[in-house]
Amino acid sequence: MFTTNIPYFQALFTNPYFALNQKFECATSAFADEKKGEKIVMIFTGDYEGKELKSLLLKAEINPLMIPSNFLHVKEIPKLGTGKNDFGAIKKVTQESLK
């Protein structure tokens, strides 16, 4: 199972080339950054490491601006009662990881 809030990552990580066969979910948040204007942080579940995910994204030769600068492994992605991603809670979790 794979879920994300960014369709591009869904297409990328479900590609057989990457072989993410385990249960994997991710979500991203963006924050202001003095150097680049914006910093993208990805939270994810599964038995992966941030270095692995970043490596997969670099191998895909996507625009470097789309590659998250920080990766944070979490036990589960915050959800609303409806089962959809809770973007307010996701932003809070990612913001706390930057401190």
Side-chain angles (χ1 to χ4, degrees):
M1 180 178 134
F2 178 88
T3 60
T4 179
N5 62 319
I6 299 181
Y8 182 82
F9 287 144
Q10 175 138 6
L12 182 66
F13 287 136
T14 55
N15 183 322
Y17 174 76
F18 294 109
L20 291 179
N21 297 325
Q22 304 170 28
K23 183 177 179 183
F24 175 83
E25 290 184 276
C26 69
T28 59
S29 288
F31 299 93
D33 183 67
E34 292 178 13
K35 293 180 182 177
K36 295 185 179 181
E38 186 174 64
K39 175 184 282 195
I40 300 172
V41 180
M42 176 185 282
I43 64 172
F44 64 94
T45 64
D47 295 330
Y48 299 99
E49 293 187 23
K51 290 178 184 179
E52 288 178 278
L53 298 175
K54 187 168 189 169
S55 175
L56 291 174
L57 293 170
L58 290 170
K59 285 180 187 176
E61 298 179 0
I62 64 171
N63 183 335
L65 294 174
M66 293 184 68
I67 298 175
S69 55
N70 295 75
F71 294 82
L72 174 64
H73 185 270
V74 294
K75 185 176 178 180
E76 62 184 25
I77 303 292
K79 304 281 186 192
L80 297 169
T82 60
K84 295 181 180 180
N85 288 349
D86 182 347
F87 293 107
I90 289 168
K91 189 156 190 109
K92 187 175 181 179
V93 168
T94 54
Q95 194 168 27
E96 290 172 0
S97 76
L98 295 175
K99 292 181 182 180

